[in-house]
Amino acid sequence: MSPPKLLFAGADEYQAMFVEAAASLPDIDLVPYRPDVDLTGIEYLLMWRPVPGLPAALPKLKAVFCFGAGVERLLANPELPSHVPLVRMVEPGLTQGMTEYVLWQTLRHHRRIWELEEAQAEGRWAPHWYPAAWERQVGILGLGTLGQAAAAQLLEYGFPVRGWSRNRKELAGVKSFAGDGELPDFLRDLEILICLLPLTPETSGILNAVNFARLALGASLINVGRGGHLVEADLIPAIDSGQLQAASLDVFAQEPLPPGHPFWAHPRIFVTPHNASDTNPASGLREICRQIRRVEGGLPLEHVADRGRGY
Ligand code: NAP
Ligand code: GLV
C-alpha cells in the first residue's frame, strides 16, 4: 500500500529542506505545494500561512498540521473546515530552539551585555556589577510546551522562575500563578518578563504600560509570543522613562518589521526576525509521521488546537 500523502504548504523557504528530510521517511509521501500540483488523494496538509482555496480542494483531508506552535492565523482562516482537526506543532527541535533563545536573551538581560558592548566600542574598560542568578526574578507568561521547557532550563541556571497560565501548574521549582486575577501578583517586582503565550483575544495587548508598571523598575522584556501581545506604542516610552531597561523582540505587529520602524535603531531593543525557534525538518516530520500513524491506527491525534480557546 502506498504511504499517505502529506501536502507541504509550510514556509516556502523551508520546502527544499523538508523534501530532503522526507526522502528518508517511508511513512509519508511528501508533496510540495505549487499552484499547479496534482492534489488527488491528499489526506494530510502541513500549512503555515493560509493558501487560498486549499483545504476546500482536498476532499479526503484528515488533518491539518500547523507548521508552527502558534495556530492563530490558521484558526482565523474561514476556509478551514470545522470537521478537520488542526494540530499545533510540538516537536523537540522547536522546543530546543526556543529554550536556547530564552536562555540566551535572559543571560543578555541578566548580565546587561549591551553595557559591555558599548564600553568596548568606546575602548572603555568598565567592569560592572550584576546580581547572582538566584537573586533575579524571572517570569514566564504561558506555561505550555515551550514555557515549561524554558522554565526548566532557567531553573537549571539558578534563576527563580514564576509562571502564569490559565490553569495552575504543579511544576517542580516554578511558582505558578493562574488566571487574570493573579496576573498582578505574578508581575509584581519581576525583573525579566518572558512572553510565551499564544495570541488570542484574551492575550492580545497584554504587554502594555499598565503591566510594565507592575514590574520591578528597570525590568527587561523578552517577547517571543506574537507581535500582537505587545502594545508597540507603550514600549519606547517605558524604556525611555527607565520603567524598562531593555527588550528583546522576535515578533512584531507587522512582519517583516518595516524599514524605518523605531525598534530597528533603538539602542536598548534587540530585534530578531521571528526566528527564535523553527520547526526542524527531520524531527518535525518524524513527529508528523507519529501522529499520522496514530490516525491510521484509529487513535486520536494529540495537540489538537481548541477552536473555542483559540490555541
Ligand atoms: P501551548 O503549549 O499551547 O501553551 C500556551 C500556554 O499559554 C499555556 O500554558 C496556556 O495556559 C497559556 N495561556 C493561553 N491563554 C491564556 C490566558 N488567557 N491566560 C493565561 N494563560 C494563557 O503553546 P506553546 O507550544 O508553548 O507555544 C506558545 C506560543 O509561542 C505559540 O502560540 C506562539 O505564539 C509562540 N511561538 C513563537 C515562536 C517564535 O519563533 N517566536 C516559536 C514557537 C512558538 P494553560 O496551560 O492553562 O492552557
Ligand atoms: C512560530 O512562530 C511558531 O508559532 O512556531
Side-chain angles (χ1 to χ4, degrees):
M1 214 172 72
S2 50
K5 286 186 182 177
L6 170 71
L7 182 66
F8 179 93
D12 292 345
E13 58 276 27
Y14 287 77
Q15 195 180 84
M17 282 189 284
F18 274 73
V19 168
E20 192 186 329
S24 60
L25 294 171
D27 299 5
I28 46 160
D29 175 6
L30 188 125
V31 179
Y33 176 75
R34 290 184 318 269
D36 61 346
V37 73
D38 178 8
L39 297 176
T40 313
I42 300 281
E43 291 175 305
Y44 298 96
L45 173 60
L46 174 56
M47 204 177 192
W48 187 221
R49 294 177 190 89
V51 178
L54 240 198
L58 306 173
K60 296 197 165 162
L61 194 61
K62 293 181 181 169
V64 176
F65 294 98
C66 180
F67 189 71
V71 291
E72 74 287 348
R73 263 195 307 217
L74 294 185
L75 280 182
N77 178 8
E79 295 191 44
L80 188 72
S82 56
H83 65 278
V84 176
L86 172 66
V87 180
R88 294 185 305 107
M89 184 60 73
V90 177
E91 68 90 9
L94 191 64
T95 304
Q96 174 69 22
M98 187 55 81
T99 52
E100 286 171 8
Y101 187 96
V102 168
L103 177 62
W104 171 38
Q105 291 310 311
T106 300
L107 292 174
R108 176 185 174 87
H109 292 275
H110 171 55
R111 297 290 294 259
R112 306 192 311 282
I113 303 293
W114 55 87
E115 289 183 7
L116 302 172
E117 289 169 347
E118 284 162 17
Q120 180 179 355
E122 293 164 13
R124 267 190 300 118
W125 186 262
H128 66 190
W129 181 87
Y130 51 89
W134 56 85
E135 294 171 322
R136 188 69 94 184
Q137 298 300 319
V138 180
I140 305 178
L141 291 163
L143 274 181
T145 305
L146 300 179
Q148 289 190 26
Q153 182 74 91
L154 294 173
L155 284 169
E156 213 168 290
Y157 269 75
F159 293 100
V161 179
R162 295 177 211 172
W164 183 72
S165 46
R166 284 203 334 172
N167 306 291
R168 196 175 312 287
K169 309 290 178 206
E170 296 289 338
L171 299 170
V174 178
K175 191 161 183 211
S176 169
F177 296 76
D180 291 344
E182 294 185 11
L183 183 61
D185 284 344
F186 162 79
L187 293 169
R188 185 160 303 122
D189 298 331
L190 274 184
E191 295 173 273
I192 300 179
L193 176 66
I194 299 156
C195 178
L196 264 171
L197 287 165
L199 186 63
T200 68
E202 289 76 30
T203 64
S204 172
I206 193 168
L207 304 174
N208 59 43
V210 171
N211 284 332
F212 294 157
R214 293 178 163 134
L215 304 172
L217 199 61
S220 285
L221 171 68
I222 300 172
N223 187 18
V224 271
R226 285 288 182 263
H229 288 128
L230 175 66
V231 177
E232 287 197 348
D234 288 359
L235 182 61
I236 291 180
I239 296 176
D240 291 350
S241 72
Q243 176 60 61
L244 295 181
Q245 66 167 346
S248 299
L249 306 178
D250 185 57
V251 285
F252 303 89
Q254 188 183 338
E255 295 179 1
L257 188 64
H261 191 291
F263 290 171
W264 278 119
H266 196 287
R268 293 293 176 83
I269 298 178
F270 180 65
V271 168
T272 50
H274 196 149
N275 198 207
S277 147
D278 294 311
T279 296
N280 177 273
S283 52
L285 281 176
R286 275 198 300 273
E287 166 62 12
I288 289 173
C289 288
R290 185 188 72 82
Q291 292 260 39
I292 289 177
R293 280 195 301 273
R294 288 181 67 84
V295 177
E296 301 297 321
L299 293 170
L301 283 160
E302 295 171 351
H303 314 305
V304 174
D306 180 324
R307 291 169 199 237
R309 287 187 325 187
Y311 67 98

